[in-house]
């Protein structure tokens, strides 16, 4: 992320104020707020670009092997932006390792994937270590309602006749589609020209 000279001036003043608290002028406060909005917008834009890049990468991966040059270029761009290669990326590169660029990228992706797995494993081990505080258990989620499949035990039981609910007084019944949208009348064809002259 790059800052303009004005933004750096505002950032420097904000940091100086944070280190040595002093009352700020209204103009300084407005400058800090504008800088914060600019940084937030840049972060949102980076997120949008990352999502677009990953979606594009998935589309190119699905179109392999015909999209090999574009896929390799997008994957290199994503890796330089901090993307951790997924199993689909590794599988695609393994299938395409006859290409020297794909083989080199496969080695890099395998190294990055291994590093990512080791980091996740270290976090799990650290979180479950005896001296580590145990996180509070998450509240149980409500269970999804289980539905019977056709042909199960319910098929052996006799079916109960369903009775329609009586209408509640004062409540309008739901109209039928034919009541809301009556059938269109077909236009009557005009009479032949002979009849018009006579009449």
């Amino acid at each position: 992320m790059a800052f303009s000279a004005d933004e750096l001036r505002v950032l420097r003043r904000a940091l100086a104020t944070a280190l040595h608290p002093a009352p700020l002028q209204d103009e300084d406060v407005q400058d800090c707020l504008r800088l914060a909005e600019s940084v937030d917008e840049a972060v949102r834009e980076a997120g949008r670009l990352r999502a677009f890049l990953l979606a594009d990468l998935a589309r190119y991966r699905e179109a392999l092997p015909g999209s090999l040059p574009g896929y390799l270029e997008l994957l290199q761009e994503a890796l330089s932006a901090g993307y951790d290669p997924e199993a689909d990326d590794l599988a695609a590169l393994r299938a395409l390792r006859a290409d020297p660029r794909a083989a080199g990228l496969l080695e890099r992706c395998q190294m990055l994937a291994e590093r990512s797995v080791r980091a996740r494993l270290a976090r799990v081990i650290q979180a479950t270590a005896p001296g580590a505080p145990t996180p509070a258990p998450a509240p149980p989620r409500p269970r999804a309602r289980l539905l019977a499949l056709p042909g199960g035990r319910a098929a052996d039981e006799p079916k109960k006749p369903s009775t329609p609910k009586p209408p509640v007084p004062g409540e309008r019944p739901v109209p039928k589609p034919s009541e809301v949208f009556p059938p269109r009348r077909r236009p009557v064809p005009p009479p032949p020209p002979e009849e018009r002259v006579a009449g």
Side-chain angles (χ1 to χ4, degrees):
M1 183 179 301
F3 292 105
S4 70
D6 288 335
E7 290 171 334
L8 283 175
R9 181 181 47 79
V10 171
L11 186 59
R12 190 178 308 125
R13 277 188 303 183
L15 289 173
T17 303
L19 291 173
H20 307 287
L24 289 175
Q25 297 176 0
D26 289 341
E27 182 182 325
D28 291 342
V29 172
Q30 292 302 320
D31 288 344
C32 289
L33 291 175
R34 277 195 294 277
L35 178 62
E37 288 174 10
S38 296
V39 169
D40 288 344
E41 179 60 31
V43 168
R44 284 192 297 271
E45 182 64 23
R48 285 192 292 269
L49 287 174
R50 179 178 171 82
F52 177 77
L53 176 66
L54 295 181
D56 222 12
L57 184 65
R59 279 193 294 276
Y60 273 78
R61 184 174 49 236
E62 290 171 5
L64 285 172
S67 64
L68 179 64
Y71 173 70
L72 295 178
E73 184 180 320
L74 279 175
L75 184 58
Q76 285 177 338
E77 187 179 334
L79 291 174
S80 64
Y83 172 69
D84 282 333
E86 298 177 352
D88 292 338
D89 295 312
L90 295 172
L93 289 172
R94 281 188 196 107
L96 301 166
R97 67 178 145 212
D99 184 282
R101 282 181 39 194
L105 207 51
L106 175 62
E107 288 178 24
R108 181 177 173 197
C109 285
Q110 285 175 329
M111 182 185 66
L112 290 172
E114 184 176 335
R115 187 181 304 160
S116 175
V117 168
R118 288 180 189 273
R120 278 185 279 166
L121 184 60
R123 283 194 302 266
V124 168
I125 289 173
Q126 187 179 25
T128 58
T134 57
R141 291 183 10 198
R143 290 182 51 169
R145 186 169 177 203
L146 299 176
L147 303 174
L149 296 173
R153 268 196 254 163
D156 298 338
E157 298 174 6
K159 291 188 177 186
K160 299 175 186 174
S162 62
T163 57
K165 296 180 182 177
V168 178
E171 187 177 307
R172 285 183 32 186
V174 177
K176 297 178 190 172
S178 61
E179 295 171 344
V180 176
F181 304 105
R184 291 184 12 194
R185 307 260 186 245
R186 293 192 177 148
V188 178
E194 300 168 355
E195 294 178 12
R196 274 195 261 165
V197 174

